[in-house]
Amino acid sequence: MMRILAIETSCDETAFSLVEASGGLLRPTFSVLENLVTSQIAIHRPFGGVVPNLAKREHLVNLPILFEQIKEKIGKKKIDIVAVTVGPGLEPALWTGVGFAKEIHKKYFPKSKLIGVNHMEGHLYSFLLSQKTEKSNFKFQISKLKELFPAIALVVSGGHTIIIRMDSLTKRKKLGETRDDAVGEAFDKVARLLNLPYPGGPEIERCAKEGNPHAIEFPRPMMHDKNYEFSFSGLKTSALYYMRDHKTANINDVAASFQEAAIDVLRHKATRAIKEFNAHSLLLSGGVAASKALRTALEERCKELNIRFFAPSIQYNTDNATMIAVAAYINFLEKKNRALRANGNMAL
Ligand code: KG4
Ligand code: ZN
């Protein structure tokens, strides 16, 4: 068993997690002892998005507070790995986490291994946090992991929209990604058009429940292109023009129709990849995976295709440090070692 202390500060959440990992690459099992997340949403909301230097300042305030809290949980327990997100994300924000990790590693856990983690790998591996066992609320496992592969992974967040083929837990190929806006970004921007607060995803979903998804025929950019690329800025612009030309538009109908168009594109491309590569499962992750509408749409499609569907338990969709601990465990098993340097543009 490896005990992992993980830190995440890539965007506007300051997060710490304490996880016990075991089972190796064949049966990775995670016991979450503590999962702390402090969101800065209220601070960034007046600006309609995340302000990097404000984020940095807040992380610097929150990191020691959360650490004191998790230190009580650690007590005299030995820490084997200190893990920290090194990218991608906002560089000033990332540096606060990396600096803090180095500091506590030196001062409190000098014998542990210090591991830098790719934030998107954290999201990707968060599907391992999808199944709770009966014994303990915080214990997750997947038996016969091998049966899941080949798998198609869809990682959808505020900064990324990526579709990946996974041949095993550690072997993967990126099939495509967005050429412009990420899907979460499009949700946030359309929400702003509708005068809904940041972050827009949950707000759009809330309004969409009251609206008609077929009221407006928004375009499905690149949906029928024979590739795995996405484009969401055109969809956003269509919503902008619609709002400009229909001053008395029903907000709920706009939200529902926009959400439907975005889901349609994601479902279409995922289906194409599943069929092309004979995938046994679809793995959905990233902040936008918190969308019940998206989860339901993809889960239904997987049922039709007779393959398995996995998405993390709801608290592990948006940014958290437990997914960073999970990725650190896999990285450790793979003997992957990243430089402990913030890299805002780190690729997956
Ligand atoms: O993964 P995440 O927390 O941060 C990044 O790494 O970007 O993702 C945040 C994104 C935001 O764009 C937010 O609007 C979106 O996830 N999101 C949603 C929902 N909940 C969060 N998008 C659609 N529907 C939701 N329910
Ligand atoms: Zn994220």
Side-chain angles (χ1 to χ4, degrees):
M1 186 272 285
M2 308 287 288
R3 197 172 291 113
I4 306 170
L5 175 66
I7 304 173
E8 154 66 39
T9 62
S10 68
C11 192
D12 59 345
E13 287 17 280
T14 318
F16 264 91
S17 180
L18 183 63
V19 172
E20 290 177 351
S22 58
L25 289 174
L26 291 178
R27 272 177 166 274
T29 304
F30 302 95
S31 222
V32 184
L33 306 184
E34 188 74 280
N35 179 59
L36 304 175
V37 183
T38 300
S39 172
Q40 307 176 2
I41 284 175
I43 287 150
H44 299 285
R45 192 164 261 176
F47 303 95
V50 181
V51 184
N53 277 319
L54 268 184
K56 172 185 165 176
R57 200 185 71 190
E58 284 304 302
H59 286 311
L60 288 173
V61 172
N62 293 333
L63 280 163
I65 298 172
L66 292 188
F67 182 57
E68 280 310 310
Q69 221 173 315
I70 209 157
K71 224 163 67 192
E72 277 181 28
K73 199 89 192 178
I74 297 170
K76 296 233 166 345
K77 293 189 200 79
K78 181 173 163 261
I79 296 293
D80 302 293
I81 296 173
V82 174
V84 62
T85 305
V86 291
L90 306 170
E91 266 182 30
L94 288 163
W95 275 120
T96 64
V98 174
F100 197 80
K102 284 184 179 168
E103 212 179 290
I104 61 170
H105 174 258
K106 201 164 142 196
K107 191 163 170 199
Y108 299 99
F109 319 107
K111 289 192 182 134
S112 70
K113 224 175 142 51
L114 187 53
I115 294 186
V117 174
N118 181 325
H119 180 84
M120 300 316 289
E121 238 175 43
H123 278 304
L124 179 65
Y125 286 131
S126 63
F127 79 91
L128 293 167
L129 301 169
S130 60
Q131 291 187 329
K132 287 187 184 182
T133 62
E134 288 150 30
K135 278 182 221 146
S136 148
N137 268 347
F138 293 108
K139 203 157 186 179
F140 304 84
Q141 71 174 31
I142 287 180
S143 56
K144 296 197 185 151
L145 196 62
K146 255 175 33 195
E147 286 175 11
L148 301 188
F149 303 108
I152 296 300
L154 199 52
V155 189
V156 281
S157 72
H160 295 80
T161 305
I162 314 177
I163 187 162
I164 300 158
R165 186 188 78 218
M166 288 181 83
D167 296 317
S168 73
L169 202 54
T170 54
K171 219 175 132 236
R172 63 171 180 254
K173 186 178 185 305
K174 193 197 283 180
L175 301 175
E177 59 193 318
T178 184
R179 291 198 177 162
D180 39 58
D181 291 358
V183 62
E185 190 179 353
F187 269 85
D188 293 338
K189 286 177 177 169
V190 170
R192 192 137 54 144
L193 280 176
L194 304 179
N195 284 321
L196 299 167
Y198 172 85
E203 295 291 326
I204 297 255
E205 184 167 30
R206 185 176 55 78
C207 293
K209 279 192 197 125
E210 312 296 322
N212 173 5
H214 305 292
I216 307 150
E217 241 343 272
F218 283 128
R220 271 73 168 151
M222 299 188 78
M223 185 163 86
H224 295 291
D225 292 13
K226 301 270 171 268
N227 59 31
Y228 294 107
E229 306 285 299
F230 300 90
S231 165
F232 287 102
S233 94
L235 174 56
K236 170 202 68 192
T237 309
S238 301
L240 174 77
Y241 291 154
Y242 187 86
M243 291 303 290
R244 185 195 63 189
D245 300 339
H246 302 80
K247 293 273 186 269
T248 55
N250 178 323
I251 301 295
N252 295 339
D253 284 349
V254 178
S257 301
F258 162 77
Q259 179 177 274
E260 179 69 15
I263 290 177
D264 205 15
V265 175
L266 294 170
R267 178 174 44 207
H268 200 90
K269 294 269 172 166
T271 304
R272 201 169 156 256
I274 290 164
K275 287 184 176 162
E276 177 171 351
F277 299 107
N278 271 319
H280 296 178
S281 61
L282 176 65
L283 317 174
L284 175 70
S285 63
V288 184
S291 160
K292 190 98 197 333
L294 177 63
R295 289 164 89 99
T296 309
L298 293 178
E299 195 168 9
E300 274 172 12
R301 177 54 53 90
C302 286
K303 267 193 200 129
E304 287 160 24
L305 296 169
N306 202 17
I307 69 163
R308 301 185 72 178
F309 173 76
F310 292 95
S313 289
I314 216 78
Q315 75 268 38
Y316 301 124
N317 287 284
T318 44
D319 289 348
N320 64 87
T322 299
M323 68 181 195
I324 302 306
V326 169
Y329 182 58
I330 310 285
N331 288 170
F332 168 79
L333 295 169
E334 287 180 282
K335 300 189 167 55
K336 217 187 228 177
N337 222 341
R338 272 190 201 90
L340 276 153
R341 199 183 318 119
N343 175 357
N345 297 315
M346 183 173 277
L348 181 65

